[in-house]
Amino acid sequence: MKRSNEEVRQRRKQLIDLIKTSGFSDVKTLSHQLGVSEMTIRRDCTVLSEMGQIKQTHGKIEYCEAYEDEAHPTDSIEYIKDRLAKEAARQVKDGDTLFVNTSTSAAQTLRHLTDKRISLLTNNTSVIQMEHHPKSTIVLSGGEIRYPKAALSGDIAVESFSHVRSDVTIIGCSGLDLQTGISTSVIHEAKVNAKIIENSGKLIVIADYRKIGKQSNFTIGAIAAIDLLITDHYSDPKVIDLIEQQGVQVIQVPV
């Protein structure tokens, strides 16, 4: 299966490169260039279109320049993140005490937990606007509000997580790399995230394929601290293998 996923990933990378080089193409041409069936090309193009990497119009296939601008994530990336969040929600049992950090992917998990009674401690103020189970307990950590994310940080936030231990923790990150571990790009959230990881029961990390193998500025935990990594099947299989060798269970969600 891993070998098959790698072949698909490589083929789709070649497909994107061909479209990007020529400016546009069509199913028949790409089928001939890659030596695969037109049905395979159509299937690949459907997936890549949903991911925002290409766009299809009346049989014409074009490269999507907007995909390269991570400051404007595409709806398809949000779709992938939601699929990962839904899988993470499956790991939470009724009655669990849950930690969630300021990651949008981690917070999205809560939208799939409205049928479960949980005790939530978080520094993510976006949870205020979400629907929750009527018997759930929602606690904000307190601390300094940092915009634009409206994240709670500082010593008060760290202290809040110092006296509680979760059953399950769900976090997102900016990077996941063998050398630098779990990392974030936001210095003000680094200490809070580190304390969240330290006091976690089962630690679940949600990271889409863009984060796998990437290094960010501030390390918040070691790869070996992760109990479960939830990612998608576009993640680099070589990096995934190395992560699994650290004793981490990995679920790759098909998208």
Side-chain angles (χ1 to χ4, degrees):
M1 179 62 69
K2 291 180 181 177
R3 180 180 176 183
S4 177
N5 285 342
E6 170 66 6
E7 289 172 354
V8 171
R9 191 181 72 86
Q10 290 295 335
R11 185 181 66 243
R12 289 175 180 171
K13 182 179 183 303
Q14 290 177 327
L15 190 153
I16 292 169
D17 289 342
L18 287 169
I19 298 169
K20 187 175 181 180
T21 300
S22 63
F24 65 91
S25 190
D26 57 67
V27 170
K28 187 173 183 178
T29 301
L30 291 168
S31 172
H32 177 73
Q33 289 174 317
L34 293 175
V36 296
S37 69
E38 292 185 14
M39 182 179 295
T40 297
I41 294 296
R42 288 193 183 91
R43 184 167 55 245
D44 287 347
C45 286
T46 297
V47 173
L48 294 172
S49 179
E50 290 176 351
M51 293 178 67
Q53 297 191 44
I54 63 172
K55 56 183 178 180
Q56 302 180 82
T57 309
H58 305 299
K60 182 180 178 181
I61 304 168
E62 299 178 83
Y63 181 70
C64 187
E65 298 290 345
Y67 175 78
E68 296 184 344
D69 183 4
E70 288 194 6
H72 300 87
T74 64
D75 289 341
S76 57
I77 292 298
E78 295 306 314
Y79 168 76
I80 290 173
K81 289 163 67 174
D82 186 65
R83 290 293 302 273
L84 304 186
K86 189 173 183 178
E87 177 61 36
R90 293 179 61 248
Q91 310 299 319
V92 180
K93 301 189 297 294
D94 192 73
D96 275 350
T97 294
L98 179 66
F99 291 167
V100 168
N101 72 351
T102 60
S103 158
T104 55
S105 298
Q108 185 70 9
T109 302
L110 301 174
R111 300 190 186 279
H112 300 287
L113 284 173
T114 56
D115 61 335
K116 295 178 182 178
R117 176 181 54 86
I118 60 171
S119 295
L120 173 69
L121 175 59
T122 182
N123 62 330
N124 192 328
T125 61
S126 72
V127 305
I128 298 171
Q129 309 299 327
M130 294 181 180
E131 180 183 351
H132 303 281
H133 189 285
K135 292 188 177 181
S136 286
T137 300
I138 312 300
V139 179
L140 294 177
S141 67
E144 178 186 1
I145 300 179
R146 306 285 306 189
Y147 292 97
K149 291 172 67 176
L152 296 168
S153 62
D155 291 342
I156 294 175
V158 174
E159 185 69 11
S160 294
F161 286 100
S162 297
H163 304 290
V164 186
R165 183 170 179 84
S166 72
D167 295 306
V168 179
T169 293
I170 301 174
I171 66 169
C173 59
S174 300
L176 203 62
D177 176 77
L178 269 296
Q179 291 183 323
T180 55
I182 316 165
S183 57
T184 179
S185 60
V186 185
I187 187 172
H188 303 288
E189 298 177 27
K191 284 184 67 176
V192 183
N193 281 323
K195 182 56 68 174
I196 287 173
I197 291 172
E198 180 184 333
N199 280 9
S200 290
K202 180 178 183 179
L203 178 61
I204 300 173
V205 175
I206 299 177
D208 65 65
Y209 68 96
R210 300 171 303 166
K211 313 295 178 61
I212 303 300
K214 178 181 177 182
Q215 299 181 358
S216 197
N217 307 88
F218 307 98
T219 296
I220 58 176
I223 295 293
I226 303 171
D227 293 296
L228 174 62
L229 168 63
I230 299 177
T231 187
D232 52 82
H233 65 191
Y234 295 107
S235 295
D236 188 331
K238 294 179 182 177
V239 179
I240 293 299
D241 283 343
L242 292 172
I243 290 173
E244 288 179 323
Q245 288 175 27
Q246 296 290 311
V248 178
Q249 180 188 358
V250 179
I251 294 178
Q252 289 185 267
V253 178
V255 292

